[in-house]
Amino acid sequence: MSHDHGHDHPAAAGGPGEDAGTPWKHDGVRVITADRLDGNTAQTPGMNRAAAINFARVGAQKLWAGTVTIHANAKTGAHHHGHLESVIYVVRGRARMRWGDHLEFTAEAGPGDFIYVPPYVPHQEINASPTEPLECVLCRSDGEAVAVNLDIEPAEKPESVLWVDPTHPHGGV
């Protein structure tokens, strides 16, 4: 049975004198262990980002992935990520997100929840716990991290917005 998927990789072409799988050894799957994350990436006051996957580390062309930790009772400064889309997966702790021109909207997410941040949306991540760190996995839609810090005075009382998705069709926290 043939499995020609149209890949233009030298191994797929079976070049002369070449073991068909050889190039995949170094150009295939990459594992970045937890102790090899790179903190030399765009930072926002109040949080620590560490890159696992980006162009510089693995040659990723269309995404950035890493971790973010926010200490107990801490919050980031207001920022956005330019043209990038972001997805945050909460591993441990309780995230409170604020967004809008004056950070006037808010919602919370806990372990196992995903947060989507569209391009150019001013936002702020807050660790809602006074005692536990907030640990998340972060993915962005480009190989380089972009963080544009903003000088925004938050609203006095943010408006609460419920998460609405297939699992919470009427909103939930």
Side-chain angles (χ1 to χ4, degrees), residues 42-121:
Q43 298 294 333
T44 297
M47 71 186 338
N48 297 328
R49 290 187 189 99
I53 308 296
N54 63 13
F55 179 77
R57 303 198 81 211
V58 301
Q61 299 289 317
K62 299 179 183 177
L63 61 90
W64 183 101
T67 60
V68 62
T69 302
I70 303 174
H71 296 284
N73 218 27
K75 61 185 176 184
T76 69
H79 61 283
H80 69 73
H81 301 287
H83 68 282
L84 306 180
E85 294 177 286
S86 299
V87 174
I88 302 167
Y89 175 76
V90 179
V91 174
R92 182 169 65 152
R94 190 97 190 134
R96 179 176 303 128
M97 296 292 293
R98 293 176 76 167
W99 71 95
D101 289 332
H102 302 286
L103 305 177
E104 64 270 29
F105 307 109
T106 187
E108 291 195 7
D113 293 343
F114 286 85
I115 301 166
Y116 172 69
V117 182
Y120 298 104
V121 173

